[in-house]
Amino acid sequence: MNRTIWIWVAIGLTAAALAATFVIEPGAPRALLNAAKPAPAPTPFGWNAQLELIAGDGVRGLRNATAAQARFADPFGLARSGNGTLYLADAGDNNLIRLIRADGSVATVAGSIEGFADGAGTKAAFNTPSGLALDSLGNLYVADTGNHAIRKISRQGVVSTLAGTGVAGYRDGPGAQAQFNGPIGVAVSQAGRVFVADTYNDRIRVIEPDGTVGTLAGGERPGDSDGAAAIARFDTPTALAIDAQGIVWVADTRNRAIRRVEPDGDVSTLNLLPTVEGDNPLSRPTALAITHDGLIYAGDMSTGLVLQIRADGNWVALTGNAQEQRLSLPAAMTLDADGAIYLTDAGSYRVHRIAPAATQPIVTVAGPSPLDPLPFTAGRWPLHPQDAWHEVVGTLGEVRGDGRGESRHHLHGGFDIRGDIGQQVLAIADAKTSNPSSSWGYGSLGEGASLDTISYIHMRVGRNGKGEPIDTARFQPIAGDDGKTERMRLRRGTRFKAGDVLGTINPMAHVHLALGSNGYERNAVTLGFTGYADHYAPRIERIQLLDALEQPLAQKEQGRLLVSRGQPGVQIVVEAWDQVDDNLARRRLGLYTLGYQWLDAAGKPLAGYEQPRMNIEFDRKPPDDATKVLYAADSGITVHGSAITRFRYVLTNTVRNGKVATGLWLPNELPAGDYTLRISARDYSGNEAVAGRDLAIRLR
């Protein structure tokens, strides 16, 4: 029995453009065309959004199962058919095209090992499949990034190569001879033209219905300029969407922009209103969709935000402002006929839906699961020798200044290993790049590169100590108009082996390792480096109670700090630090976890304080706006002209799993009398401070 199926599609095909089209799962009977639907209602601007989980348990892997148990390796491209089926490009180590049915169950459509082969279903092979799009006949198109090709999956599930030779290059012409360079985005017009974001050629290409490949817009090198097709420049275009008028919209990732390409190739930039701080709200846009009436949705892989944007440049953040709704790497999105957004979060191995908030709020599940395994357990260091100790000079969560007098500017996000300037930086694990823009900061102190879930920072990426390029097959030098190298490009899908040279240490004289996607960084000390040892108990320098004006209580009676029970809530502040074996004696490091408990005059824990309340735990990096919540004044480096690092933790505030909350201790919760405030300060190795941990208190 024939059934009619309606769609609005993947990577931004709109309801208006496809009002009378249909798609079906590969292998299903072809549906019959139906009369056009009534015109959809206008899309509201700034609607109250709720993030909902569609599939994925937040652990990287491969498992076809029901929604909550399914696993993905690098969920990227997304397309949705009218019957509710979602098609998903699952890259990483999976290299599969998968589907999520309307009932939430997950199955594999095509793909097998990483490779380049046509054929039916699992006889085919992909290499880092990225963007997806459906045409009006139910054919699925795949931007096969690592194979530098555009693939086609028929309704029967047969995979063929539409265009591309499998070798990176730039050439227009017949599909079998045309060349691309790491295409990531793809979209299909109502007329059957396939548009391609040829990402590392920095061009927008088009495949005509007869298979001929041409260039719609963009030039021979990256840039940021509007104008006619051959004059315009893009920089790492990643996602495409086609509006009801046939205009192609582009997420121009490194230009921090949304670009508009007319049918004749003329390019212009959508000017977004700046934030109150004067910044462009886009940082690295990677996901794009457009409604029937021209409102744009953009997902940003750097900020984790999903923005709704009007043609006049007004915008709102639909989700991501709240930590519990922050995505780690929004990679692609598509819409349904009711206006809900479906999107992939590649860094968290999940697929989500953004829909109007329900009367009863849904418990949001965002970010990787705490059960997600570490990328390796071999314990390698990023410097020679990889199997022996190196000095550690920084840990996650430490307070950092801005170098201009503000000592509590941000929180340290990784694990720092000291090295000599010019020393080679080595991969600590086998890895495959997922991020379309995996290197940054050329020539700056913060230059770095991201390989899978590990970032290596403070190095000359892909260059030796003299600044000369190395391994140009993987690290591609990009020249400016003057012919001089202006950055090193690292393509999505590039593979590395443990021990491969990534670059050399820059003048920062250390390697900063960050573990996890932006916003969900884990403590890299958990990687377990060979020879790393910590037998030192943390040192507690001082314990203070601060009043509402953040001034320390100072009055004492018989050696006890005198506190009035009428005193408003106070902060408990502890100055403490740690060391690790074989480090320089002056090297102060931050702690892993801190807490406190109350003891009576005889030293017995009070009810509710049988165990310390471990309010601070740096298992994941908190947001930088929590710096002054977790650290009291005079924390940081070079405070009052001193080179000593001071960590003054506010123990009445809370950070766990990267989430922050404020709090106070209320003196009136205890009856008058003598007490002991006992501090628990521990490092990652489990050593706990003993000296200086008690403060005698008299409540009156």
Side-chain angles (χ1 to χ4, degrees):
M1 177 177 177
N2 291 326
R3 54 197 179 106
T4 302
I5 302 173
W6 295 96
I7 130 174
W8 3 0
V9 284
I11 315 292
L13 296 184
T14 68
L18 293 170
T21 63
F22 57 89
V23 295
I24 54 181
E25 292 184 16
R30 181 171 176 175
L32 295 177
L33 219 58
N34 196 11
K37 275 189 168 184
T43 304
F45 181 70
W47 43 280
N48 186 19
Q50 167 72 52
L51 188 69
E52 304 172 7
L53 178 65
I54 294 297
D57 67 355
V59 175
R60 175 168 34 185
L62 173 59
R63 186 160 68 194
N64 287 329
T66 58
Q69 284 76 44
R71 288 185 175 173
F72 309 100
D74 181 13
F76 211 87
L78 196 65
R80 186 179 186 276
S81 72
N83 68 350
T85 299
L86 288 168
Y87 294 93
L88 173 74
D90 188 15
D93 288 333
N94 289 348
N95 297 291
L96 302 174
I97 307 303
R98 303 172 73 184
L99 61 81
I100 307 170
R101 300 185 180 91
D103 64 5
S105 59
V106 176
T108 297
V109 174
S112 51
I113 61 172
E114 183 170 290
F116 191 13
D118 291 337
T122 56
K123 293 182 179 179
F126 300 90
N127 183 349
T128 318
S130 299
L132 298 180
L134 284 159
D135 70 12
S136 60
L137 299 176
N139 299 301
L140 184 66
Y141 296 86
V142 183
D144 195 1
T145 305
N147 283 322
H148 314 288
I150 304 302
R151 315 289 293 281
K152 177 181 177 180
I153 306 177
S154 70
R155 299 191 315 273
Q156 292 74 32
V158 177
V159 178
S160 60
T161 299
L162 181 65
T165 64
V167 177
Y170 170 65
R171 186 165 60 212
D172 286 336
Q177 301 172 17
Q179 289 185 316
F180 303 88
N181 190 353
I184 291 179
V186 64
V188 186
S189 73
Q190 189 175 8
R193 303 177 79 202
V194 179
F195 293 88
V196 179
D198 193 2
T199 303
Y200 304 114
N201 276 326
D202 303 289
R203 292 174 167 100
I204 308 304
R205 314 280 293 280
V206 60
I207 307 172
E208 302 294 348
D210 65 1
T212 303
V213 177
T215 298
L216 180 62
E220 62 180 348
R221 63 174 59 94
D224 184 10
S225 58
D226 292 337
I231 298 173
R233 294 290 184 271
F234 300 89
D235 193 340
T236 320
T238 299
L240 303 178
I242 302 175
D243 69 16
Q245 286 71 46
I247 293 169
V248 178
W249 294 83
V250 183
D252 196 4
T253 300
R254 284 189 63 97
N255 279 328
R256 306 178 62 191
I258 305 298
R259 314 288 293 281
R260 169 188 169 114
V261 186
E262 304 287 346
D264 63 359
D266 191 71
V267 177
S268 58
T269 300
L270 177 61
N271 294 315
L272 274 64
L273 297 181
T275 65
V276 292
E277 293 84 9
D279 297 330
N280 180 351
L282 293 173
S283 181
R284 287 288 187 266
T286 46
L288 198 63
I290 191 165
T291 67
H292 66 93
D293 48 357
L295 270 71
I296 293 171
Y297 295 108
D300 196 294
M301 72 179 186
S302 180
T303 65
L305 295 173
V306 174
L307 306 182
Q308 186 186 37
I309 306 167
R310 292 195 318 209
D312 61 4
N314 276 288
W315 60 273
V316 293
L318 287 185
T319 185
N321 281 327
Q323 178 69 13
E324 63 272 12
Q325 291 205 355
R326 191 190 193 286
L327 301 168
S328 56
L329 202 166
M333 58 176 68
T334 186
L335 310 176
D336 70 14
D338 296 323
I341 306 165
Y342 294 82
L343 73 163
T344 52
D345 189 0
S348 294
Y349 323 115
R350 300 182 192 270
V351 180
H352 292 281
R353 179 175 183 260
I354 301 176
T359 304
Q360 295 295 324
I362 297 171
V363 177
T364 299
V365 180
S369 168
L371 301 177
D372 185 41
L374 295 174
F376 79 105
T377 57
R380 299 181 184 90
W381 296 81
L383 304 173
H384 283 301
Q386 288 199 278
D387 58 353
W389 173 88
H390 296 269
E391 186 176 12
V392 176
V393 295
T395 61
L396 184 140
E398 294 180 359
V399 61
R400 291 287 189 266
D402 62 359
R404 298 187 296 272
E406 173 54 72
S407 65
R408 294 183 293 163
H409 179 262
H410 64 278
L411 296 170
H412 190 248
F415 189 75
D416 288 349
I417 300 101
R418 196 202 71 79
D420 296 328
I421 297 172
Q423 186 174 355
Q424 288 182 336
V425 179
L426 310 175
I428 63 176
D430 295 352
K432 181 180 181 181
T433 56
S434 173
N435 195 313
S437 180
S438 290
S439 61
W440 59 85
Y442 183 86
S444 71
L445 293 177
E447 184 177 358
S450 176
L451 278 59
D452 201 345
T453 59
I454 302 174
S455 295
Y456 303 76
I457 306 171
H458 305 316
M459 67 172 177
R460 301 180 183 94
V461 175
R463 308 191 300 288
N464 63 20
K466 296 180 180 180
E468 300 164 336
I470 56 175
D471 193 6
T472 54
R474 290 189 285 193
F475 297 99
Q476 299 178 315
I478 301 297
D481 291 337
D482 59 2
K484 296 180 180 179
T485 300
E486 60 181 21
R487 75 170 183 263
M488 304 298 288
R489 174 172 267 171
L490 184 55
R491 292 182 297 210
R492 168 172 160 81
T494 305
R495 282 202 177 272
F496 292 86
K497 292 289 187 181
D500 285 350
V501 178
L502 306 179
T504 51
I505 296 178
N506 69 20
M508 286 294 284
H510 68 266
V511 181
H512 174 108
L513 292 180
L515 173 61
S517 53
N518 186 29
Y520 292 98
E521 295 95 334
R522 301 165 71 171
N523 196 319
V525 71
T526 59
L527 292 170
F529 300 91
T530 300
Y532 172 85
D534 181 357
H535 295 95
Y536 289 91
R539 290 277 302 274
I540 295 177
E541 297 278 1
R542 188 189 315 181
I543 305 170
Q544 292 180 314
L545 301 184
L546 305 187
D547 63 19
L549 299 177
E550 298 190 354
Q551 297 301 307
L553 303 181
Q555 186 177 356
K556 290 189 175 181
E557 184 175 278
Q558 296 180 334
R560 292 181 174 272
L561 184 66
L562 192 61
V563 180
S564 169
R565 294 185 68 250
Q567 174 80 33
V570 300
Q571 294 180 335
I572 299 173
V573 174
V574 175
E575 183 172 345
W577 51 277
D578 188 34
Q579 287 183 303
V580 299
D581 293 11
D582 299 320
N583 263 14
L584 295 173
R586 64 178 173 82
R587 188 75 69 193
R588 294 187 173 190
L589 301 174
L591 275 67
Y592 183 72
T593 183
L594 299 99
Y596 68 95
Q597 65 184 147
W598 286 101
L599 313 178
D600 63 18
K604 181 181 178 181
L606 301 182
Y609 290 94
E610 292 83 3
Q611 297 296 324
R613 295 186 179 181
M614 305 305 289
N615 283 353
I616 294 179
E617 183 176 355
F618 289 112
D619 54 344
R620 291 186 181 269
K621 181 183 178 295
D624 282 334
D625 59 11
T627 307
K628 293 183 180 179
V629 175
L630 300 178
Y631 289 95
D634 291 343
S635 295
I637 300 175
T638 63
V639 177
H640 302 311
S642 170
I644 295 176
T645 303
R646 300 178 67 186
F647 303 112
R648 303 187 66 238
Y649 300 97
V650 183
L651 268 61
T652 39
N653 294 332
T654 303
V655 57
R656 294 192 192 94
N657 198 32
K659 297 180 180 179
V660 179
T662 58
L664 295 168
W665 174 64
L666 302 176
N668 63 7
E669 74 175 27
L670 299 178
D674 291 346
Y675 300 91
T676 297
L677 174 62
R678 173 163 292 175
I679 303 302
S680 180
R682 304 170 188 166
D683 58 32
Y684 179 76
S685 297
N687 304 303
E688 184 164 358
V690 176
R693 64 178 178 172
D694 292 343
L695 179 65
I697 301 287
R698 177 163 290 170
L699 274 178
R700 178 181 291 175

